[in-house]
Amino acid sequence: MVQVPDGDYDYWAKRAKVNINLRRTTCAGRSAFNLRAPSLASEEKFRSLYKIASTVDFEDAVIHLVKLAQTALYLFDLLKQDYIDGLLCDETNRALGEFYNLYKPYKGSTYPIKEGWMEPHLLTALITKLMVCRNKLQTSNFTTVKDPFNDWLEFSRDIGRFQNAKGLRENNVINLATLKKLEDYSAGPLRVRKAIKSKLDDLSGIRNTPLLGEECNPEIFLDHATIESLRAIWRPRLKSNFPTDHERQPNDFIHMIKEVSSRTVSCS
């Protein structure tokens, strides 16, 4: 039980979510739950743990980060839509644990978790897995959604179109059967995109291009957080020198090749 100052529940609900989320990500002290503003120590620990940009409003970032995780979990058929509210609840933690056990996201190195929680490497793996699925759907002309976290309802319908076209049960979320069909997509176009992405990075001197492969290292992921909902937390001041690949239609891809070619010539 927590006393709500002035009885204004709506006003203090956000602070309650923030403090609960900090406690559930091991960033709060051992004091009893309250509605006081987070301590500087809690803020510094959370920002360090999740690599949150120093210029981003802290309480907004805490809630937005959880919403990103919940949206991805919903689109992977692990969490009900009603839970996308920014509160790191039991159901969200259960879904995170299920994602870890079902998709085995860590390859090459291990970051074992004993129970479901929003562990930074797991969160990174979840976000990048969704982005890879989005890139495959876009490349095969099943979606034009740039940001599946902001436009998740439209993206969900696009998943349904893909399922219908591939003879799968149309439930508008990415389950194992849908993921298998996406993985059957030829890797050729993605290899070309990766080569061009690498060239653009080399020419620009900064990492402003989208991450085309799955990743569980938050430090690497930061260099490729280019869509709006990710920039809002990690790179709010990002100004791309080049259009990102999800801002181009598939039939514009040849222009990207020409841009790389012309810049390479001018630099030689």
Side-chain angles (χ1 to χ4, degrees):
M1 299 293 291
V2 178
Q3 182 178 0
V4 178
D6 305 320
D8 191 343
Y9 173 85
D10 292 333
Y11 177 82
W12 292 100
K14 176 181 175 181
R15 175 66 56 75
K17 286 183 180 181
V18 169
N19 288 349
I20 290 172
N21 292 351
L22 291 175
R23 183 172 296 274
R24 292 201 150 195
T25 53
T26 71
C27 293
R30 295 186 178 183
S31 59
F33 173 73
N34 57 68
L35 296 178
R36 291 194 293 270
S39 68
L40 182 59
S42 291
E43 177 176 344
E44 289 178 346
K45 184 174 181 181
F46 190 90
R47 286 188 187 273
S48 175
L49 191 64
Y50 295 101
K51 315 303 179 187
I52 306 300
S54 60
T55 55
V56 175
D57 179 84
F58 177 63
E59 295 195 21
D60 287 343
V62 172
I63 292 176
H64 185 52
L65 190 66
V66 176
K67 282 185 176 180
L68 288 178
Q70 291 170 330
T71 301
L73 290 168
Y74 164 72
L75 290 169
F76 280 116
D77 199 22
L78 298 173
L79 189 69
K80 292 181 180 179
Q81 178 179 332
D82 293 344
Y83 288 99
I84 305 177
D85 60 1
L87 175 65
L88 194 52
C89 61
D90 290 343
E91 277 298 299
T92 302
N93 278 337
R94 177 204 58 76
L96 286 163
E98 191 172 348
F99 175 80
Y100 176 82
N101 292 322
L102 190 62
Y103 292 101
K104 306 292 190 293
Y106 305 149
K107 299 179 178 66
S109 53
T110 56
Y111 303 93
I113 58 174
K114 296 180 179 179
E115 58 185 28
W117 71 288
M118 203 170 69
E119 194 274 338
H121 296 90
L122 183 61
L123 177 66
T124 302
L126 173 65
I127 290 174
T128 60
K129 192 173 190 70
L130 181 63
M131 291 307 302
V132 167
C133 289
R134 178 258 161 216
N135 288 341
K136 289 181 178 181
L137 285 170
Q138 190 268 343
T139 303
S140 50
N141 296 318
F142 279 99
T143 187
T144 58
V145 170
K146 298 176 182 178
D147 190 334
F149 297 97
N150 280 348
D151 302 318
W152 53 275
L153 284 175
E154 182 180 350
F155 185 65
S156 179
R157 289 190 288 269
D158 291 340
I159 294 170
R161 290 196 307 112
F162 174 80
Q163 291 169 328
N164 181 267
K166 300 300 180 182
L168 300 171
R169 185 170 68 88
E170 190 174 340
N171 61 359
N172 295 357
V173 289
I174 303 171
N175 49 29
L176 287 174
T178 305
L179 188 63
K180 177 64 169 58
K181 286 291 185 181
L182 282 171
E183 290 174 346
D184 288 342
Y185 168 73
S186 170
L190 288 182
R191 281 199 295 267
V192 175
R193 287 154 69 91
K194 287 180 182 179
I196 291 177
K197 177 182 77 70
S198 177
K199 178 58 67 176
L200 290 175
D201 286 341
D202 292 342
L203 294 173
S204 67
I206 52 177
R207 301 289 181 176
N208 281 351
T209 49
L211 191 68
L212 297 179
E214 295 178 35
E215 182 57 61
C216 62
N217 187 331
E219 294 286 355
I220 295 176
F221 164 70
L222 286 182
D223 289 335
H224 304 277
T226 58
I227 63 174
E228 181 182 351
S229 58
L230 303 184
R231 291 201 311 265
I233 291 180
W234 288 289
R235 307 183 75 186
R237 294 179 177 176
L238 175 64
K239 292 185 182 299
S240 260
N241 292 328
F242 304 97
T244 59
D245 73 329
H246 50 266
E247 291 172 335
R248 300 172 181 271
Q249 298 300 320
N251 57 1
D252 290 335
F253 194 64
I254 188 64
H255 298 300
M256 190 181 220
I257 298 175
K258 291 179 178 177
E259 287 175 17
V260 174
S261 178
S262 63
R263 286 181 176 272
T264 304
V265 170
S266 63
C267 292
S268 60

